[in-house]
Amino acid sequence: MFSRFPYGRAPFWIAVAALVSTVTWAATRGLQAPRPDLVLVTFTQSHYDAYRRAVPAFERAHGVTVQVEFTNWTPLRSRLQNAMLAGTEVPDLAEVFEGSLGFFTRGPVRDIGLYDLTDRLHADGLYDRLVPSRFSLWSAEGRVYALPHDVHPVMLAYRRDLVAAAGIDVATLDTWDKFVAAGQRATRDLDGDGVIDRYMLDLRADGDWGLTTLLFQRGGALFDPQGNVAFDSEIVAQTILWYLRQSEGPRKIATDAGWGQSTAKAMTDGLVLFFITPDWRSFQFEEEEPWLRGKMALMPLPAWAPGERRTSVWGGTGLMMMKASKHPELAWELAKYLYFDPASLGEHFAETNLVPVLKDAWTRPELDAPNPYYGGQRIGRMYTALAPDTPPVYSSPVDAVARAKLNEAYSRCVTKYRRDGEAGLLETIRSELSRAADDVRRMADRTRTLTEAG
């Protein structure tokens, strides 16, 4: 056989393998499962698990098939963008992360590959039943292009036992000024070796989520409702000044507890007493530090001034519906079923501590249940009481750039503070914010020009 094949033994078997695979593909092509009626993609494992459990009832009720897919956020965003630009196949529904909507709503309205959901929300009576501040994250030019999944109100989690031992009455910590005063007493070198063993608060060393969470609470913003850069404001400058003094100053009360195992050790050892905690992080603590069950508690954020807002927001997920969907009405029904069914939302809270954006679901018994990890506190009631006061957060195609530039400006201010102390500090903060904001504006103008030209 091989002697009659002019190219030798190896090429012969390669040719055989190619022939067999071609015949197999042709024979089985017709046996492949047809594309399901709907495809939904998410980047969150807990959402994926919840949707997989919920979808069979929807399939039975509507006589359809639904495929739920899971992927990591970075490839999901890039693949969606590329597919929408190329006009290739996309899922019917896709969950996206905070700050990403601007990537998909650039250019003329006619070219946006997403359904405008504003009129549907009003027609189905949903608009007024959701927390209004959460639409800001998923809107462009006043129109809603994704459904908000969550609220993510923020509180402070704290070591109940250590705070009590330190003589701190959390009921008195209703403003940040009072919190700082208590923190200056509690932040101490406990063993006399010259190293601080206990800090009052966990704050990121590079600003990042710690800074944005606090400036959102104070009324600051990265962008205004029209998507214009807005972080070179006096509110943001004063927030950075406060943040620097607590993190770097001679009477600092904060340190960076890190993430994951680092945070767990800081909590366990009592290195830090208080942690900025949106609803999703409260569950993360339960999962990652179960040995602190009963030793933890939650409280609202201190206000910047008496009577002002005592919460903020950190994070967010939204659900987009693609214009390329062959079954838009069915996709809309699935979106409502997964996002706005009160019974399912109650169960989801019990599994994740996530506060539903649908206010109707707040009466579910799961949100009223005592939580043993937090000493029996009814944390669902605590978070939902704060949810209506969560600040709006506006998106932009240059959201990621703005956050990076804000962190860069903060880092420059840290260097200045470490070198010169308070001398000229506020002027430096204002100058660095102005420079960073101008950089982002130039990037936004360039993005806008390229989009319009395209």
Side-chain angles (χ1 to χ4, degrees):
M1 181 186 298
F2 299 119
S3 61
R4 294 196 300 271
F5 192 75
Y7 304 109
R9 182 186 298 264
F12 172 79
W13 287 113
I14 292 173
V16 169
L19 178 62
V20 170
S21 63
T22 301
V23 172
T24 302
W25 173 81
T28 60
R29 187 179 182 188
L31 301 178
Q32 293 178 358
R35 185 186 189 278
D37 297 295
L38 293 175
V39 175
L40 182 152
V41 180
T42 181
F43 62 93
T44 303
Q45 184 68 50
S46 62
H47 295 191
Y48 174 77
D49 295 338
Y51 300 158
R52 287 287 302 273
R53 291 192 297 269
V55 153
F58 181 88
E59 291 177 315
R60 290 191 298 270
H62 294 267
V64 297
T65 55
V66 177
Q67 181 173 308
V68 182
E69 298 179 355
F70 172 81
T71 186
N72 291 323
W73 166 240
T74 300
L76 171 59
R77 186 179 70 179
S78 61
R79 286 167 56 192
L80 273 177
Q81 287 177 280
N82 294 337
M84 292 170 72
L85 288 171
T88 56
E89 187 172 343
V90 294
D92 301 270
L93 297 158
E95 284 194 322
V96 290
F97 190 59
E98 171 194 31
S100 63
L101 183 73
F103 286 103
F104 303 100
T105 55
R106 289 178 288 188
V109 172
R110 66 178 180 277
D111 293 336
I112 297 175
L114 311 176
Y115 273 106
D116 179 345
L117 304 177
T118 315
D119 294 337
R120 290 176 180 267
L121 285 163
H122 284 290
D124 285 9
L126 284 167
Y127 195 91
D128 294 328
R129 294 164 57 197
L130 308 183
V131 177
S133 65
R134 297 310 276 167
F135 287 121
S136 62
L137 200 59
W138 308 112
S139 299
E141 302 296 330
R143 307 297 292 179
V144 181
Y145 287 96
L147 297 179
H149 174 271
D150 36 51
V151 187
H152 295 333
V154 175
M155 290 200 280
L156 290 179
Y158 62 93
R159 280 288 301 270
R160 179 198 300 268
D161 54 338
L162 298 181
V163 166
I168 300 173
D169 179 2
V170 296
T172 67
L173 306 181
D174 57 354
T175 67
W176 282 113
D177 286 344
K178 294 178 182 177
F179 186 91
V180 170
Q184 288 171 348
R185 295 189 297 270
T187 300
R188 297 172 56 195
D189 169 13
L190 298 175
D191 55 15
D193 64 355
V195 177
I196 296 176
D197 302 297
R198 179 162 298 161
Y199 289 90
M200 187 72 163
L201 183 63
D202 169 33
L203 288 179
R204 278 288 295 253
D206 57 356
D208 201 64
W209 52 257
L211 181 58
T212 53
T213 300
L214 293 174
L215 71 86
F216 291 154
Q217 181 200 7
R218 200 171 189 174
L222 298 176
F223 304 96
D224 66 16
Q226 289 72 46
N228 301 310
V229 177
F231 64 81
D232 52 344
S233 68
E234 188 62 18
I235 287 178
V236 178
Q238 291 294 334
T239 306
I240 288 179
L241 179 63
W242 182 94
Y243 199 101
L244 281 169
R245 287 170 173 167
Q246 312 320 318
S247 304
E248 300 286 340
R251 303 192 68 192
K252 65 181 181 180
I253 67 168
T255 190
D256 188 341
W259 201 260
Q261 292 183 351
S262 177
T263 305
K265 183 167 177 56
M267 295 176 73
T268 302
D269 294 350
L271 176 64
V272 177
L273 298 179
F274 290 83
F275 297 81
I276 293 174
T277 307
D279 53 0
W280 56 265
R281 200 180 192 198
S282 72
F283 184 76
Q284 186 178 82
F285 289 155
E286 292 185 43
E287 290 282 285
E288 296 182 357
E289 294 91 48
W291 54 86
L292 293 177
R293 179 184 174 100
K295 296 181 179 181
M296 298 295 295
L298 290 163
M299 61 166 282
L301 295 183
W304 286 102
E308 290 186 351
R309 178 187 289 127
R310 297 199 59 184
T311 192
S312 186
V313 287
W314 175 3
T317 300
L319 184 65
M320 305 187 308
M321 195 167 89
M322 309 299 173
K323 281 183 179 177
S325 172
K326 294 181 172 60
H327 307 289
E329 299 306 320
L330 187 62
W332 175 244
E333 291 303 316
L334 177 61
K336 290 190 296 181
Y337 170 73
L338 294 177
Y339 268 41
F340 306 134
D341 175 62
S344 297
L345 293 174
E347 294 171 3
H348 193 51
F349 175 83
E351 296 168 352
T352 61
N353 292 356
L354 293 184
V355 173
V357 72
L358 180 72
K359 292 180 284 187
D360 302 2
W362 295 354
T363 60
R364 293 291 305 173
E366 294 89 345
L367 279 76
D368 200 43
N371 186 303
Y373 188 83
Y374 294 98
Q377 288 180 311
R378 300 178 189 276
I379 69 170
R381 289 284 155 257
M382 296 173 69
Y383 274 117
T384 55
L386 296 168
D389 204 27
T390 49
V393 178
Y394 300 97
S395 189
S396 164
V398 291
D399 186 280
V401 177
R403 292 173 188 265
K405 285 294 182 180
L406 179 61
N407 290 342
E408 180 183 306
Y410 176 77
S411 295
R412 292 177 182 272
C413 295
V414 169
T415 301
K416 161 71 175 174
Y417 193 32
R418 289 174 177 173
R419 185 180 65 241
D420 301 325
E422 295 275 345
L425 180 59
L426 186 56
E427 291 75 12
T428 297
I429 293 171
R430 290 167 177 157
S431 174
E432 291 296 343
L433 284 176
S434 178
R435 177 166 62 174
D438 286 343
D439 286 346
V440 180
R441 288 189 182 99
R442 283 191 290 271
M443 178 66 74
D445 290 342
R446 189 178 307 121
T447 300
R448 189 179 300 113
T449 299
L450 291 173
T451 300
E452 291 171 352

